[in-house]
Amino acid sequence: MRIFEDINPLQAFLRSKKANQENIGFVPTMGALHQGHISLINASKVENDITICSIYVNPEQFSNPTDLVKYPRLLQEDIKMLEAASCDVLFCPSDKVMYPERPKLKIDFGFLETTMEGKFRQGHFTGVAIIVSKLFHIVNPDRVYFGQKDLQQFLIVKQINNELSFNLQLQCVPIVREQDGLAMSSRNSRLDKKERLTAAQLYQSLTIGKQNLLVTENVFDTKNKMAHYLSAFNDIRVEYIEIVDAADLNVVNDITQHEQVALCIAAYVGNVRLIDNILLFNID
Ligand code: PAF
């Protein structure tokens, strides 16, 4: 695997690949890789000649400074995992390379920013949009791979892709779960043993919600059932439970009026904030 820390040598390398008509799949990450990330690498390898992964813990998207400090940084382990997955290129820039100056830009995403994660993480999506746009310019990929766990992030990136004419093919790859259903996340490593066991209840509440919603078609009752289920666990503090249209996050009242519906949750398990979601129809 070729590893680049600077932009110019990376771009020279990628230009030479493009000149050979090789297409480029891109997996942007913040490292602390797990099988969820590897599923994105695998998806890219199927569809592209060259797969590039970036690892950069983007300070601009952290609204909570403690979260940034505590974010796991495991570059050597990550490199081993990427090599085992036959990733072709790793881009792991420093803060200086990515931000010679702190960005001043603020982006207003309208409704998408006022709901779910946007409500609880001020400035988060502007930070995501800036780093993703910079990476898109630097890498100039054909296809980019994101995980469904961050559904709202995927929709934000879709909006940037359309409105800023990046014209990239964006792929949303299904969530990879631990055996007990917990969605894989770099944050899971911060859970202690007891919290780790409890964390699986988030997925449990989503499956209870999905079954209830399919049977009753009652959104209000479903959200209540999920909240009631989780209230039995002292370590869990729910921030939101939302049942939304998966294409735009608009609140769903009548599930029969939507092509795809997502049940979404954000909750603290101990001091670790986790998010998860499940799709109502077919796929999950
Ligand atoms: O999903 C992530 O890991 C990050 O938000 C991303 C897309 C790499 C931007 O920093």
Side-chain angles (χ1 to χ4, degrees):
M1 182 173 68
R2 300 285 303 263
I3 301 179
F4 296 91
E5 292 175 6
D6 288 311
I7 295 172
N8 289 343
L10 170 73
Q11 286 186 319
F13 175 81
L14 293 174
R15 265 197 303 272
S16 74
K17 297 292 169 194
K18 286 225 161 196
N20 281 344
Q21 314 299 325
E22 292 179 71
N23 55 35
I24 293 168
F26 178 39
V27 180
T29 81
M30 298 207 297
L33 302 181
H34 49 69
Q35 287 309 313
H37 295 112
I38 299 304
S39 75
L40 306 182
I41 300 285
N42 292 340
S44 169
K45 286 196 68 74
V46 171
E47 295 182 322
N48 303 282
D49 301 307
I50 297 287
T51 290
I52 166 166
C53 175
S54 67
I55 294 182
Y56 178 63
V57 181
N58 172 33
E60 297 298 325
Q61 71 186 74
F62 284 81
S63 38
N64 175 347
T66 316
D67 207 19
L68 173 60
V69 173
K70 291 203 169 153
Y71 202 85
R73 289 159 174 85
L74 302 162
L75 188 59
Q76 292 317 313
E77 285 92 324
D78 290 345
I79 289 174
K80 281 189 199 133
M81 282 182 79
L82 290 172
E83 280 176 338
S86 305
C87 182
D88 302 294
V89 181
L90 169 62
F91 179 47
C92 47
S94 63
D95 286 339
K96 244 196 184 142
V97 166
M98 285 318 291
Y99 295 114
E101 279 177 39
R102 276 202 70 179
K104 295 170 196 70
L105 193 66
K106 301 264 181 288
I107 308 175
D108 181 348
F109 292 96
F111 170 72
L112 261 190
E113 201 180 354
T114 64
T115 185
M116 294 190 351
E117 292 301 285
K119 252 194 217 164
F120 291 90
R121 300 172 78 185
Q122 288 292 312
H124 169 67
F125 287 123
T126 282
V128 169
I130 291 174
I131 194 67
V132 162
S133 301
K134 283 165 82 86
L135 289 167
F136 287 176
H137 282 305
I138 292 168
V139 175
N140 189 20
D142 297 285
R143 299 187 185 86
V144 192
Y145 297 80
F146 292 93
Q148 183 202 306
K149 185 167 74 65
D150 296 298
L151 176 65
Q152 190 166 9
Q153 168 172 278
F154 181 72
L155 298 177
I156 290 275
V157 176
K158 228 170 142 183
Q159 192 173 347
I160 304 164
N161 190 44
N162 293 341
E163 294 189 15
L164 299 182
S165 304
F166 280 104
N167 298 327
L168 307 175
Q169 269 192 51
L170 302 182
Q171 317 283 38
C172 190
V173 178
I175 297 173
V176 179
R177 298 185 178 280
E178 303 285 356
Q179 273 200 334
D180 61 2
L182 176 65
M184 290 203 183
S185 163
S186 307
R187 288 164 200 266
N188 294 351
S189 64
R190 288 175 49 203
L191 298 164
D192 69 25
K193 243 182 171 167
K194 182 167 163 276
E195 290 164 352
R196 167 62 193 82
L197 286 174
T198 311
Q201 300 306 330
L202 301 187
Y203 178 65
Q204 200 51 37
S205 75
L206 288 171
T207 56
I208 289 169
K210 176 173 171 166
Q211 276 163 15
N212 191 70
L213 192 52
L214 285 171
V215 173
T216 65
E217 297 189 355
N218 186 328
V219 171
F220 183 74
D221 175 66
T222 301
K223 283 170 73 168
N224 278 344
K225 275 218 163 67
M226 291 171 67
H228 179 72
Y229 178 79
L230 289 171
S231 67
F233 302 93
N234 289 334
D235 281 353
I236 297 181
R237 181 163 58 83
V238 174
E239 263 193 346
Y240 63 77
I241 293 171
E242 295 291 354
I243 296 177
V244 294
D245 188 307
D248 55 20
L249 304 191
N250 278 313
V251 164
V252 164
N253 293 314
D254 175 357
I255 61 165
T256 63
Q257 299 302 307
H258 298 265
E259 206 170 297
Q260 186 55 281
V261 170
L263 292 85
C264 304
I265 188 164
Y268 278 90
V269 179
N271 288 322
V272 184
R273 187 176 185 279
L274 300 175
I275 59 172
D276 197 356
N277 65 72
I278 194 171
L279 299 177
L280 188 62
F281 302 125
N282 303 330
I283 304 168
D284 267 1

